[in-house]
Amino acid sequence: MSGSGHGRSKRSHGADAASPDARELALRALALMDEGTPVQAAVDSVLAASPAPGRERRLASELAYGSARERIRTEAILARLLRKPQGLPRPMRHILAIAIHSLLFQDGIPAHAAISEAVKQVEHRYGVRLARVANGVLRSLQRLGQAPLEQAWYEDARDEHAVRQWRAACRFWSLPESIADLWRDAYGEEGALALMRRSFQRPWTGIRINARHPQSAALRDALAAAVPEAERASLGAWGMAFAPGALPEEVLGQTPAQLRESGLLAFQSAGSQAVLAELGLDAWREPVWDACAGVGGKSLALLEAGVPVRLATDTSLARLSRLAALCDSAGAAPLLLALADAAMPPLSRWSGHILVDAPCSGLGVLARRPDIRFPGRRSREILRSYPRTQVRILTALATRLQPGRELAYLTCTLNPQENEEVVAALLERERGLELVRSWTTPMDHPWLEGMYGALLRRR
């Protein structure tokens, strides 16, 4: 069975690529995600402890991400093929999810291989009886042909007619109704469906070349020569984005990981780079305080562009430590780092600009954060909590902003309640602020992550 293009890998892995090793690694990563570990951290943790070769590691990552992205769709499939799928052990359901991903979306994996490996995994853990159940489920799915790749197959006659197609769309695009309904209310049904389709695609990989490195131009030229133009895009002078699987495994004699360690490139999402450029933050020349620094991707990008970022604060020591290491490897100017909650700033005033990459629901990056779409992770109650936090942070920081200086508010979500409405609430509270410009990812953009940014100035 092969897919119809919904999130399918463009590059075949070959019949032998679906080895038990890769499947076991993916299974461990999915177990960590069940415990609340974000997808990238789960995959990194599993791969760090494994001696598996590069091909196995890449496949394990694809299987983990794909199975996470498709979880709601997979649960709908199992509900159609089994009487009580929730009665199966959770690891067994993950094994089936990995096999279903291979059957639906991996052209290079023969169906018999995907089924055989899954059955072996189940038998090893749970014995012959459940192995037969696994074999029966996957054979039944195989006999369905292309039907599970069509939205209509997910319609449930028990749903009221008025909502039947909408709920089928949620199952098909593997999105909780809480998120889908929010998008429909904000952008209309067609806009919501467009976002659902885009969030189901595999994300592009964004990199940023360190313009200050002696080999920066050589790396940019080598990447442009190695990747077909249709599978890459430029992001300003030094940013690049690559279609899934298109980033070369080696360039200039080094892997991307080695290039990152040498400070020649950094991984930064394309949307994150775009919003900095669209707001014009590379033109800042006064000292900058990054008040929600995280691991510091935006701070480092601004430093490489010549912006004088001087202070970075965050609530996580681990994230600040990573920022310090990144600055050191990139040869960037050292920063003053401090543990601090942006809602309770450690300074009474700041003479320069302030950058706020605020905590948010992450609805713009569902493609690369598929764990966000797990049931319960973004309930309606949780979604309502973010604007309150964001308003508290912005209000606290705005009082530290001096006349003529600017505050940049960024999120990686597509939700007016966290974006435009938060900015409107701040402007209502702080009458001395004005909105200079704002930007959000175009709704019809085929691969750029959903980002929002607003630039405010103290009069």
Side-chain angles (χ1 to χ4, degrees), residues 339-368:
L339 278 173
D341 184 341
M344 296 181 287
L347 304 174
S348 60
R349 57 177 288 164
W350 177 254
S351 62
H353 305 303
I354 303 175
L355 173 64
V356 188
D357 186 8
C360 70
S361 59
L363 304 187
V365 293
L366 289 170
R368 59 184 172 90

Side-chain angles (χ1 to χ4, degrees), residues 72-154:
I72 293 175
R73 184 190 287 199
T74 297
E75 290 175 350
I77 291 172
L78 293 178
R80 288 280 293 270
L81 300 179
L82 284 168
R83 183 176 299 176
K84 295 181 179 180
Q86 297 303 316
L88 297 176
R90 168 60 79 178
M92 179 176 170
R93 299 206 299 276
H94 287 330
I95 292 170
L96 292 174
I98 291 168
I100 290 170
H101 172 79
S102 293
L103 288 171
L104 295 181
F105 298 109
Q106 287 186 295
D107 286 339
I109 307 298
H112 68 83
I115 294 173
S116 173
E117 294 299 343
V119 171
K120 288 178 184 176
Q121 281 184 293
V122 173
E123 183 173 3
H124 175 72
R125 282 174 170 77
Y126 303 110
V128 173
R129 185 181 67 84
L130 286 183
R132 289 173 179 163
V133 172
N135 184 69
V137 168
L138 297 175
R139 296 293 180 189
S140 295
L141 177 62
Q142 187 183 20
R143 287 192 291 272
L144 288 170
Q146 300 296 305
L149 294 167
E150 301 297 332
Q151 181 177 312
W153 190 81
Y154 295 85

Side-chain angles (χ1 to χ4, degrees), residues 217-237:
L219 177 59
R220 181 177 57 187
D221 294 344
L223 286 169
V227 181
E229 190 172 352
E231 297 187 0
R232 60 177 167 83
S234 295
L235 300 163

Side-chain angles (χ1 to χ4, degrees), residues 22 52 57 79 122 135 143 170 243 269 310 321 406 420 437:
R57 301 168 77 85
V122 173
N135 184 69
R143 287 192 291 272
C170 293
S269 73
R310 294 291 179 258
S321 298
E406 295 175 339
E420 292 87 350
R437 68 179 68 91

